[in-house]
Amino acid sequence: MRIAVTGSKGQVAMSLIERSDRDTEIVPLSRPAFALEDRQTVLAGIEAVRPDVVISAAAFTAVDRAEAEEDLAIRVNGEGAGHVAEAAAKIGAPLLHLSTDYVFDGGLDRPYREDDPTGPTGAYGRSKLIGEKLVAERCPNSTVLRTAWVYSPFGANFVRTMLRLNETREEVGVVADQSGNPTSALDIADGLLAIAKRLREDPTPALRGIFHMTGSGEATWADLAEAVFQEAHARGRRLTHVKRIATADYPTPARRPANSRLDNAKLRRVYGLALPDWRGSVAACCAQLIS
C-alpha cells in the first residue's frame, strides 16, 4: 500500500515512517515543492505519486501566531485541506484528514462527541473547522480524525519541552485547569495505518465521516508534566517540581479550551480501535528520548 502524507517534517508524518512495515510505502509531501495554499501544486503533487491512500497531516499549527495571521491559517488549514481533498477525489483515493479539539469551545462538562456542536473560539480552530467542511464537500471517500495534545520523540511538543526544562529547573509552573487526552503521534500513526487499510478495502459508508482519536485516559497539563518528570527521574535524571497554576496565570494570545477531552466511543464501535492509555505511551516516549 502506498500512502501519500502531507507534512513530511511533522510529528505524524515522521511517526508514520517509523511505524510503517515493509508492505507499506510512506511518501512524504512537503514544502517547497508541495505547498498546501497552491491548488495546482497539490493536485499535481498527489497525482504524480498515485497513492492508494492520502493522509492529510500538514497544518499551520502555531495556535498563538494564528491569531495575528488568520488569513494564512485559513489558506493552509482550510483551503489547503480542501485542495488535498480535491486531489484525493480526482485520483479515487480515500483520504484521512487530521483535525483538532480546537473546533470546540471547551465549555462542556464531559468529553466531546463527534455530533456535538462546534464553536471554535480562536483563529486556529476556525481554520481547521473550515478544512473539515471542505474535506467533506470535496471528497466523500474521506475520514476526518480529530485528535489533541499530540507529542512524540520528534519535533517540538510539550513532552520534549518538559524534558528539557527538567534538566535545568527546580520548579515549573504548569496549567492545571485545562483537561484533555495526551496523545502519542506514534499511536496516531498506528491508528491511521489500520484505518487506511480498512478504507482501501471496505467501501462501507459508516467508515467515513468524523471520528475522534486520542489517547485513552485524561489529564491536565500539570498531570502530564508530572508524569514526564517522574519518568525522567526513574531514568536517573533530576526531579523538577510542578507548580500548579491557573490559565489566567499564563496568558496567551489564543484562548485554550478548558475542556479538550474527546469521546472515542465511535472509533471503538465502528473500527474496533482504541489508542493506548496515555501514561504508557508517555513512558515509552520518554524512554526513547532519554539516553
Side-chain angles (χ1 to χ4, degrees), residues 6-184:
T6 65
S8 64
K9 305 300 184 192
Q11 295 185 76
V12 171
M14 296 180 75
S15 295
L16 282 165
I17 292 169
E18 179 157 318
R19 292 296 216 218
S20 62
D21 57 28
R22 62 183 181 182
D23 295 323
T24 304
E25 179 187 5
I26 304 296
V27 183
L29 302 171
S30 64
R31 297 176 182 278
F34 187 90
L36 288 179
E37 311 96 296
D38 187 333
R39 176 177 173 271
Q40 289 303 324
T41 296
V42 172
L43 294 176
I46 290 177
E47 186 170 15
V49 173
R50 302 301 299 180
D52 299 301
V53 178
V54 177
I55 295 179
S56 175
F60 182 103
T61 57
V63 174
D64 289 325
R65 186 178 149 205
E67 292 301 307
E69 300 182 50
E70 185 164 0
D71 287 348
L72 177 59
I74 289 173
R75 288 201 302 274
V76 175
N77 296 339
E79 296 165 9
H83 297 155
V84 175
E86 183 182 351
K90 184 176 180 182
I91 64 170
L95 170 67
L96 284 71
H97 175 72
L98 288 179
S99 192
T100 174
D101 58 296
Y102 278 80
V103 299
F104 298 113
D105 66 11
L108 277 186
D109 59 359
R110 59 162 174 77
Y112 281 90
R113 296 188 293 262
E114 290 83 353
D115 58 356
D116 282 321
T118 54
T121 61
Y124 173 68
R126 288 191 291 270
S127 69
K128 291 294 288 182
L129 185 57
I130 292 170
E132 285 189 11
K133 292 176 178 178
L134 289 177
V135 164
E137 289 173 5
R138 297 182 185 179
C139 186
N141 189 11
S142 63
T143 297
V144 171
L145 295 148
R146 294 175 180 149
T147 192
W149 292 29
V150 179
Y151 65 88
S152 72
F154 317 112
N157 59 72
F158 185 85
V159 169
R160 294 193 69 183
T161 297
M162 291 302 107
L163 285 175
R164 186 179 70 251
L165 292 177
N166 189 64
E167 295 296 311
T168 60
R169 302 275 289 274
E170 295 290 337
E171 182 178 81
V172 176
V174 186
V175 170
D177 57 359
Q178 296 173 21
S179 59
N181 312 107
T183 309
S184 164

